Amino acid sequence: TGHAGDLTDEERSMLAGEIPTVTAGLRVIEALVTAGVAKSNGEARRLILSGAISINGRKLSEDENLEAHSLLKKGKNTFLLVV
C-alpha cells in the first residue's frame, strides 16, 4: 500500500489535480527541476544524496529513471505524481 500504482485511474486523475505531475521516463533529477521542486540539477542531486527524496516510500541514494504510477516525495510535504 501507499503506492500510486495501487490507485484507480479516477483516483490518479483526482490526485493529479491536487499535486504537480511529471512524465514517466524522466530521471529523478530532471523531474525535480522540471516541476520546480529543486532550482538546479546540483540542488536536486544534493537532495537525493542527503536522503530527502523517496519514491513510493523508498529513499533514493542516486538518480534513476522514473516509472509511471509512482509517487515522488521531497521531505515531508512535497509530492510529485509520475504519470
Side-chain angles (χ1 to χ4, degrees), residues 1-2 5 15 37-38 40 68 82:
T1 64
L15 188 58
V37 173
S40 67
V82 183

Side-chain angles (χ1 to χ4, degrees), residues 12-61:
R12 256 193 300 280
S13 292
M14 288 175 53
L15 188 58
E18 299 292 322
I19 64 174
T21 61
V22 292
T23 306
L26 290 177
R27 304 286 292 173
V28 173
I29 289 175
E30 290 176 282
L32 292 171
V33 174
T34 300
V37 173
K39 295 178 184 170
S40 67
N41 289 351
E43 181 184 355
R45 198 172 293 108
R46 285 188 293 277
L47 288 168
I48 291 170
L49 292 174
S50 69
I53 305 298
S54 62
I55 296 178
N56 297 330
R58 176 181 55 87
K59 294 258 186 213
L60 295 185
S61 58

Side-chain angles (χ1 to χ4, degrees), residues 8 24 62:
T8 66
E62 60 185 13

